[in-house]
Amino acid sequence: MRGALNLLLVVLLALNLRPILTSIGPLLEPMRQSTGLGYQQAALLTALPVLCMGLVPLLQPWLRRWLSEHGGMLAGLSAIALACLWRLQLGSAWALIASAILAGLGVALVQGMMPGLVNRWFPRRLPAAMGIYSAALMSGGGLAALLGPSISAHFGHWQVGLGVWAAPALLAVLAWLALRPRQPVATLGGSAGGHWFGNRRAWLLALYFGLINGGYTSMVAWLPAYHLEHGGTAQGGGELVGLMTVFQVAGALGLPLLLRGLADRRPGLWLALLIQLGGFTGLLLAPASAMGLWVAMIGLGLGACFSLSLTLTLEHLRTPAEAGSLAAFVQGVGFIVTGIVPYITGWLRDVSGDFQASWTLLACTVLAMLMVTARFAPGGYRQAIARQGPQREPTTVS
């Protein structure tokens, strides 16, 4: 029973981690018309929250001195809910950007703790649990992209399509208060203490995580606009993001399950990256002929990469506390990288006049990560991570 409640809680928390990003793209055109947003300003609505998702986990070794896991979770969920409620009243570009920062800080607090929490609650079923967490996270994003235009059309205001996502955040607050395990836990993120800035393998894992997930933030930010450029509609753009999400969920759940007997994560990562590469190549060479197919391939590869790369990180260390600390660092640096990518792809769209240069950059990134994957042989995990361990800080419990 405790395991089922923990799994339900993981799903409810994860559902709130992407709507603040994915609700933007399908409503971008009415937002631009109403507020005067340019493409580079619009990119900040995705890039700034993702940068927050990176910076906050990097501060965990210091935050844990005064913020417990319980307090951090409540603060994060409350910030998400407040940002969404604020968006119900917004009418200016800079207020939108400020709400994105608030929401990003909230997501960062929750998301930074989730891998360590999943590792602690499901140590013997880590790949499956991480797959469910990843699938729920992506499902929340897909629902926001798919339903946002319809909700906005029904109420006659694009703000409602952004603000309605306060409801699941408030539900998650109530669920956390009622369902969380009550045993004492380590402070924020379950960290073992110290940071990983001096560890080369930690940096490699972080850059790897950031670059292979940069395609996700770029697709969320620009796929609806790309669809409009090819004669589509805002609703159709949201449906494409929804389609991508369906296949992300399939990738996050299916590939780890298919390869559950393998201790080596590289075959799954190679396959996922090759599928992504095929999708970006299709967008470059024949976008109009089978856009749905290319988007589905990209989604399948992205979903599997997110789940497998986090599992790969957690498996580098034996204890949940140390693994959670490493995962926080990897997500911290990784999401900074991931947040920069859509800004660069948006800039390329502005200077080139179309998205072909953007998709070319993402395809080249996938090719580079295919080669880097070869370095993650499971037999070398502990040797690589132990060469220069985390610099220690005193820990406390609450």
Side-chain angles (χ1 to χ4, degrees):
M1 182 64 178
R2 182 69 258 172
L5 289 176
N6 286 349
L7 192 60
L8 174 62
L9 194 51
V10 165
V11 170
L12 290 174
L13 294 171
L15 286 171
N16 287 282
L17 300 182
R18 289 298 176 269
I20 65 156
L21 299 178
T22 58
S23 58
I24 297 292
L27 299 173
L28 184 58
E29 286 310 304
M31 288 165 56
R32 291 183 69 231
Q33 293 169 12
S34 176
T35 64
L37 274 172
Y39 275 107
Q40 283 188 277
Q41 274 186 309
L44 292 176
L45 298 177
T46 299
L48 288 176
V50 176
L51 288 174
C52 290
M53 295 177 205
L55 291 172
V56 171
L58 292 179
L59 298 176
Q60 274 199 19
W62 297 273
L63 284 173
R64 70 171 179 272
R65 295 176 180 176
W66 57 272
L67 188 62
S68 67
E69 181 181 83
H70 176 58
M73 193 67 75
L74 286 180
L77 293 170
S78 298
I80 295 169
L82 286 172
C84 292
L85 289 171
W86 187 13
R87 285 177 167 183
L88 290 170
Q89 307 294 325
L90 292 182
S92 74
W94 291 111
L96 268 172
I97 291 170
S99 75
I101 294 172
L102 176 61
L105 289 171
V107 170
L109 282 170
V110 177
Q111 185 170 260
M113 293 184 281
M114 289 301 294
L117 184 148
V118 171
N119 195 20
R120 191 173 76 241
W121 287 355
F122 306 100
R124 298 181 182 178
R125 294 173 289 173
L126 180 59
M130 192 57 68
I132 291 171
Y133 161 66
S134 302
L137 180 149
M138 295 161 191
S139 296
L143 286 171
L146 187 62
L147 299 179
S150 298
I151 293 171
S152 296
H154 178 75
F155 287 96
H157 298 283
W158 55 264
Q159 290 93 335
V160 182
L162 302 182
V164 69
W165 308 109
L170 292 171
L171 176 62
V173 169
L174 296 176
W176 177 259
L177 289 171
L179 301 179
R180 77 186 194 281
R182 294 304 200 272
Q183 69 267 28
V185 297
T187 54
L188 187 63
S191 172
H195 57 73
W196 297 88
F197 289 100
N199 189 283
R200 292 182 180 179
R201 173 51 65 96
W203 276 99
L204 180 61
L205 287 166
L207 294 172
Y208 183 81
F209 177 83
L211 288 172
I212 65 175
N213 287 291
Y216 172 75
T217 46
S218 294
M219 293 296 286
V220 165
W222 305 125
L223 180 58
Y226 183 64
H227 183 60
L228 284 172
E229 288 185 357
H230 285 79
T233 63
Q235 181 65 40
E239 290 172 355
L240 274 178
V241 175
L243 175 68
M244 184 179 76
T245 302
V246 168
F247 281 88
Q248 279 183 288
V249 171
L253 286 173
L255 201 55
L257 184 63
L258 181 67
L259 303 175
R260 63 187 181 278
L262 293 179
D264 192 341
R265 304 298 164 203
R266 291 178 299 173
L269 286 164
W270 276 322
L271 178 58
L273 287 165
L274 286 171
I275 293 171
Q276 273 191 68
L277 183 61
F280 284 121
T281 302
L283 284 183
L284 280 167
L285 301 180
S289 62
M291 191 177 294
L293 174 61
W294 312 135
V295 169
M297 291 175 67
I298 292 168
L300 187 67
L302 285 169
C305 277
F306 184 88
S307 177
L308 289 170
S309 61
L310 277 179
T311 303
L312 171 74
T313 296
L314 292 169
E315 289 176 339
H316 269 68
L317 290 161
R318 292 183 179 179
T319 69
E322 286 187 320
S325 173
L326 176 61
F329 176 84
V330 166
Q331 287 189 107
V333 174
F335 277 116
I336 291 173
V337 175
T338 298
I340 292 170
V341 173
Y343 192 80
I344 294 173
T345 51
W347 173 78
L348 287 172
R349 162 63 182 80
D350 270 349
V351 298
S352 68
D354 60 41
F355 282 102
Q356 296 302 90
S358 304
W359 306 148
T360 300
L361 174 64
L362 295 176
C364 291
T365 299
V366 172
L367 279 171
M369 294 305 99
L370 276 166
M371 293 183 284
V372 172
T373 302
R375 298 193 61 179
F376 298 126
Y381 287 170
R382 291 182 177 86
Q383 181 181 0
I385 207 70
R387 285 174 187 163
Q388 194 173 6
Q391 298 176 28
R392 296 291 171 181
E393 301 280 352
T395 60
T396 59
V397 294
S398 63

